[in-house]
Amino acid sequence: MSAPAFPTTTATGEQSAHWGAVFAMSFCVFALIASEFMPVSLLTPIATELHVTEGQAGQAIAISGVFAVLTSLFISSLAGHLDRKLLLLALTAVMAVSGTVVALAPNYEILMIGRALIGIVIGGFWSMSTATAMRLVPPQHVSRALAIFNGGNALATVVAPSAGALLGATIGWRGAFFCVVPIAVVVFIWQMISMPSMKAERRPGSGNVFKLLKRPIVAVGMAPSACCSWANSHSSHMCGPSSRP
């Protein structure tokens, strides 16, 4: 069962709004960011059980960021003409796989593979989020849809570290990561039902995003944006609650 293919219009000829899909995406954002930030408060038990240093355990956060960047740069060209709904559903399924892999990881290497998978999901999702919002709602409601997306982001940023510490103390760090799996399943079903088909719209061009940096205005604008993004993530991770007693 799925929503009708995009675009759909009302009786007056206006594009219809798929708010159910917007809230499903916001819930997906919440799960993604919670997964990204959860290790902040679980480094000590992870390091202890896997017999690595806390610094090595901390690389579980770094590797997800690296793969998120790489995925965001190349996913549009790699996905080609694939329906964006199917792509988002595939990424949601990978999120569930990532949570399972991390929760069951017998060693440090498997843990890092699981964290790399969540990085792929994060990068793929964020690179398409704005374009997806523009196709789910009429133009006059795009800003509201993006605000709902970012609401899930903000909530997860606040809740995830402390929730991770609480869950880690209650059911262990593996149980904390496995909590992502049922959330991902719910998101998958919600998206499948509420999201319309969104065929890829290919336009002339190479699809090489690095060529944009040759434009001075783009390079100058990206530099401070990248610095602000790094500072925000750095402060958020550094100020997370400690898992030590």
Side-chain angles (χ1 to χ4, degrees), residues 110-128:
I110 300 298
L111 173 75
M112 296 297 277
I113 291 173
R115 294 298 297 172
L117 290 176
I118 198 65
I120 291 173
V121 179
I122 293 169
F125 180 87
W126 281 118
S127 66
M128 297 188 297

Side-chain angles (χ1 to χ4, degrees), residues 28 78 99 107 129 135 138 164 168 173 187 201 208:
C28 185
L78 292 176
N107 53 50
S129 60
R135 301 183 68 177
W173 68 269
V187 170
E201 298 177 349
N208 186 351

Side-chain angles (χ1 to χ4, degrees), residues 72-74 76-77 206-214 218:
S72 66
L73 292 174
F74 300 110
S76 294
S77 57
S206 66
N208 186 351
V209 295
F210 294 104
K211 288 186 176 181
L212 293 173
L213 297 177
K214 294 181 179 180
V218 175

Side-chain angles (χ1 to χ4, degrees), residues 12-132:
T12 60
E14 296 180 353
Q15 177 188 334
S16 59
H18 301 275
W19 289 109
V22 171
F23 282 100
M25 294 279 284
S26 181
F27 194 24
C28 185
V29 171
F30 174 83
L32 280 176
I33 302 304
S35 299
E36 181 184 11
F37 278 74
M38 196 170 293
V40 173
S41 54
L42 298 172
L43 296 182
T44 299
I46 291 174
T48 300
E49 184 167 339
L50 298 182
H51 306 291
V52 296
T53 66
E54 291 186 8
Q56 289 176 304
Q59 298 308 307
I61 301 172
I63 194 172
S64 63
V66 170
F67 275 83
V69 171
L70 294 176
T71 303
S72 66
L73 292 174
F74 300 110
I75 190 169
S76 294
S77 57
L78 292 176
H81 295 282
L82 183 65
D83 188 322
R84 283 348 188 206
K85 175 182 179 178
L86 296 179
L87 183 55
L88 289 168
L89 288 174
L91 290 172
T92 305
V94 173
M95 177 168 61
V97 172
S98 170
T100 303
V101 170
V102 172
L104 301 178
N107 53 50
Y108 180 70
E109 290 74 19
I110 300 298
L111 173 75
M112 296 297 277
I113 291 173
R115 294 298 297 172
L117 290 176
I118 198 65
I120 291 173
V121 179
I122 293 169
F125 180 87
W126 281 118
S127 66
M128 297 188 297
S129 60
T130 301
T132 301

Side-chain angles (χ1 to χ4, degrees), residues 208-235:
N208 186 351
V209 295
F210 294 104
K211 288 186 176 181
L212 293 173
L213 297 177
K214 294 181 179 180
R215 301 180 182 180
I217 191 171
V218 175
V220 171
M222 286 295 294
S225 297
C227 290
C228 288
S229 178
W230 176 85
N232 175 63
S233 297
H234 179 74
S235 60

